[in-house]
Amino acid sequence: MLSTTQEEIIQSPHSRLRVVAGPGTGKTLVLTRRIAHLVRNGTDPRRICALTFSRKAALEMKARIFQLLPLTASRVHVSTFHSLCFWILARHGLLPDRRLTTGVLKRELLQQLATRHQCDMPPRRIALEISRAKNRGIDPERYLQLAGDRTAEKVGLVYRDYEQLKKLPDYDDLILRACQLLMHDGHRVKERFSHILVDEFQDVSDAQYQLLKLLVASPGTSLFAVGDPAQCIYQWRLANPRKMEQLEDDFSTHTFHLLENFRSARRIVECSNLVLKRIAPNRPRLRNVQRSEGRVLVAEVPTELHEAEWVATKIEETHQPGDCAVLVRSNAQMEEIERALARRKIAFSEFHNFYHRREVRTVLDILRAIDDPEHHVRQLVRYSRLLDPYLGREFEDELNRHLQRQLGLFDALGADFSRRYMAIGAEKLRQFLQNLRKVQRRRGVAGVISELRRTLNLDENLLWDDEPQEPEEETIVARNLNRLTAMAEDFRTIREFLEHVRAQMASSGRRGAVNILTAHRAKGLEFKHVWVLGVARGLFPLERENEDEEWRLFYVAITRAKHTLTICALKSHRGEPLSPAPFLEPILQPEGAEHCSSRLRRLLRAIIGR
């Protein structure tokens, strides 16, 4: 059942629409229903392009559209911004071999150039600087002009040489080159799409915004943008909350506000409105639709150990674990609550859980390929590029032809290849697999994982992903690989370990498990009962981060709750006293939280000068 406002938006005759949609108001529902409305009213689905920010979100959007349009959903172009640009460039013959400069090739080139220019900055940091420059439209010459010190100048020289020497475009080039094409010769693409729809518009970067301006340049092309500036939490990957406001000036959009919150109980909506007032004083407030009162509790806890024990006890006493979510600011805060739940034998799973993490999945894929290589040739070749980055599709095709001659894998790797570099790579791969089998006999599965990390430099190479990553990703990757290695200590064979993992994955994915996740990963999700841990200055919010973004992240965290919301105000961390988080000041107004200690109220009055 749609609300009156949702129906108005879906059926609006305006061609340029800006929908400011708060949490729980059904913004993705409205976008997908708008697509269905267009198709049912005669629009060719091939002329509709829907954009989002991750592959997972794109897949979910496709599934929703399929439910509404089972016969024509596949013709709607649904993708990420970068996938769209890849398609545009390939369609115009500008990606002849459909490959990019990524991973090991990119790292090795940047390392060489950093050495050449005596730049001490790690290659990954240099890559991040170059990515940010490109997404702001700053070319190497401009970067050098803007360099304020010797380090920035050296990075600029690396950037200049990198652009000259790389043979293939990289991930950030996709949007820039697509923009250049659309400015000069993009009529085929502009004519292809007559409707552009964007979900989570508050997350667009400057480069993505420029791409949209070019796609919607034709007067007959419609734009539908839905998002919430108060939930812009990705400024570290160049999202800009002001872009939502800029739409009105650049496109003369007609604006709708989705204000009816279908998710949360009354008290939670009131609490979130108090925080929203601090983030965006002039924004209309959310209205709750749910009839239940709900509960918001601020609990003062002395230490992280007390916090974890108290939360675990509350979950054990009063709730079904599968209805509960524990949200933290950073991954490091998960350990105490995991231990507390484990002591009570309460099942828990980290959302996008441990086994679905990219680095863990990579190691497990390699282990499967080592255990049964003949049935995992594609995986084997994919990860062999970490040994030799030049092994690709041609090598895979020739290796498959050798295997079709009934040769075993090791014989196939020793067969004749049409090119010398393939033969060299095949020999590297053969020796690599033989060595890992010896390691397994001597040191078990943990030894194999340790050898993989060393030989393939996994801790470093797995940070070189195409998509932007969370700032603490380096720590997370090392922590998870250490954890996986420790788990494998008791297993002598890869097959036994993989069977154990399969059973663990089935267990951790069951519905009766408490969800433990960061506030960033909670975005877009909802849970009946939510605990937000470690709310204190220095932990949440983090001192080193943008204060406005920390407010928005806290707003995202508290708006995940449907029935109850508990905020844990932490008094100390590792023996050091902590100050109350500024987030608590609006919540502790009379109409906000149900309870907190008088001490906490006095501290907050002192902090805000009342």
Side-chain angles (χ1 to χ4, degrees), residues 48-326:
I48 298 173
C49 176
L51 296 171
T52 187
F53 288 85
S54 70
R55 297 175 190 129
K56 180 176 179 289
L59 289 172
E60 289 174 355
M61 190 183 293
K62 286 179 181 178
R64 289 198 188 199
I65 296 170
F66 179 78
Q67 290 178 338
L68 298 169
L69 301 167
L71 300 179
T72 56
S74 61
R75 298 181 206 164
V76 178
H77 186 106
V78 181
S79 73
T80 64
F81 279 84
H82 288 88
S83 294
L84 172 66
C85 292
F86 190 97
W87 177 83
I88 290 170
L89 295 172
R91 183 180 172 87
H92 284 77
L94 299 176
L95 289 174
D97 52 5
R98 303 178 75 85
R99 290 173 59 205
L100 300 173
T101 298
T102 57
V104 178
L105 285 173
K106 185 173 184 178
R107 179 176 61 81
E108 288 182 350
L109 179 54
L110 287 174
Q111 182 66 69
Q112 292 168 11
L113 295 174
T115 302
R116 175 192 296 181
H117 293 293
Q118 299 180 330
C119 181
D120 296 330
M121 189 180 286
R124 187 164 172 262
R125 284 280 309 280
I126 296 173
L128 184 59
E129 281 295 309
I130 292 173
S131 174
R132 286 176 172 166
K134 287 184 176 183
N135 277 283
R136 292 185 175 119
I138 301 172
D139 61 21
E141 289 70 27
R142 181 65 177 154
Y143 191 96
L144 284 166
Q145 290 172 3
L146 296 171
D149 54 38
R150 183 63 182 147
T151 300
E153 186 179 330
K154 289 178 179 179
V155 172
L157 293 171
V158 173
Y159 180 15
R160 181 198 65 192
D161 291 358
Y162 170 74
E163 289 301 298
Q164 292 173 354
L165 294 175
K166 67 178 170 49
K167 297 177 181 177
L168 299 167
D170 64 19
Y171 188 70
D172 295 303
D173 287 330
L174 292 174
I175 289 181
L176 297 181
R177 295 192 180 189
C179 285
Q180 290 167 0
L181 174 68
L182 291 170
M183 279 190 282
H184 300 106
D185 185 31
H187 61 276
R188 279 192 293 167
V189 175
K190 293 175 184 177
E191 290 170 0
R192 165 70 185 269
F193 298 122
S194 57
H195 299 275
I196 307 293
L197 301 95
V198 186
D199 197 12
E200 304 288 2
F201 193 90
Q202 75 279 349
D203 293 333
V204 300
S205 66
D206 290 349
Q208 290 163 341
Y209 190 82
Q210 179 63 24
L211 175 72
L212 286 170
K213 287 179 74 174
L214 292 166
L215 287 170
V216 190
S218 303
T221 305
S222 77
L223 174 66
F224 182 96
V226 60
D228 182 4
Q231 295 187 73
C232 179
I233 58 173
Y234 297 116
Q235 281 192 279
W236 50 269
R237 68 183 192 196
L238 303 176
N240 186 341
R242 289 184 293 277
K243 292 299 179 190
M244 198 84 191
E245 299 168 12
Q246 194 175 331
L247 270 176
E248 201 161 15
D249 296 329
D250 291 344
F251 296 99
S252 300
T253 53
H254 183 85
T255 299
F256 283 96
H257 287 271
L258 279 174
L259 301 174
E260 293 174 297
N261 181 294
F262 296 91
R263 173 186 299 156
S264 304
R266 183 182 67 81
R267 287 186 178 274
I268 296 169
V269 173
E270 288 176 354
C271 176
S272 62
N273 277 334
L274 293 170
V275 176
L276 179 62
K277 187 176 180 180
R278 165 59 179 78
I279 296 169
N282 298 321
R283 270 273 297 274
R285 302 296 168 245
L286 294 173
R287 300 190 294 268
N288 67 291
V289 174
Q290 299 293 338
R291 293 183 179 179
S292 60
E293 284 288 297
R295 190 181 73 160
V296 177
L297 173 70
V298 176
E300 191 174 31
V301 287
T303 68
E304 285 153 308
L305 178 59
H306 287 88
E307 176 184 63
E309 290 293 326
W310 181 72
V311 170
T313 300
K314 287 295 180 183
I315 291 173
E316 183 179 40
E317 290 176 352
T318 59
H319 299 300
Q320 290 294 323
D323 295 336
C324 301
V326 176

Side-chain angles (χ1 to χ4, degrees), residues 416-434:
D416 291 332
F417 285 85
S418 61
R419 301 193 181 185
R420 187 168 180 271
Y421 79 86
M422 291 187 195
I424 293 171
E427 179 59 21
K428 283 184 188 176
L429 182 55
R430 189 180 67 81
Q431 291 180 7
F432 173 68
L433 292 172
Q434 286 180 331

